[in-house]
Amino acid sequence: FKKKKARVIPFGYKIYYGDTTYLEPIELELKALEKAFQYRKQNYPLRSIREWLVKTTGRNISFVGLHKIFKKHGIRPNTTT
């Protein structure tokens, strides 16, 4: 479990049922995000990765949100190669 720090729930987590100050990991989304990191390292376009992620997990994420996640993890998020 992870302590909730902001109003927005991060991709790959949901509010823990017993305590709204904690976040519970969603394994499907976290695994899909790891695969998205691999796709980006192979120079797949960020918008295509976003579409795949939404189809795979069923959870919406904005292009900007995905960009911020990649930047936070040190993965080159820019779409130009």
Side-chain angles (χ1 to χ4, degrees):
F1 292 94
K2 181 177 175 179
K3 186 131 174 102
K4 183 178 171 188
K5 296 180 182 176
R7 184 176 58 104
V8 177
I9 307 301
F11 191 84
Y13 292 89
K14 63 181 178 181
I15 294 177
Y16 178 59
Y17 179 73
D19 186 354
T20 58
T21 60
Y22 286 95
L23 301 173
E24 183 177 355
I26 302 170
E27 290 301 319
L28 171 71
E29 291 181 7
L30 293 176
K31 286 180 182 178
L33 197 54
E34 286 297 321
K35 193 156 185 96
F37 292 156
Q38 292 173 2
Y39 286 150
R40 186 60 203 140
K41 288 176 182 175
Q42 295 172 12
N43 290 325
Y44 280 75
L46 199 56
R47 290 188 193 275
S48 298
I49 295 170
R50 181 211 162 269
E51 289 174 15
W52 172 83
L53 204 54
V54 170
K55 285 180 188 175
T56 302
T57 63
R59 184 170 175 183
N60 197 21
I61 184 168
S62 69
F63 171 78
V64 174
L66 186 59
H67 184 275
K68 286 180 180 181
I69 290 171
F70 280 8
K71 199 171 177 183
K72 178 181 169 185
H73 285 86
I75 298 171
R76 187 173 48 93
N78 60 338
T79 55
T80 58
T81 52

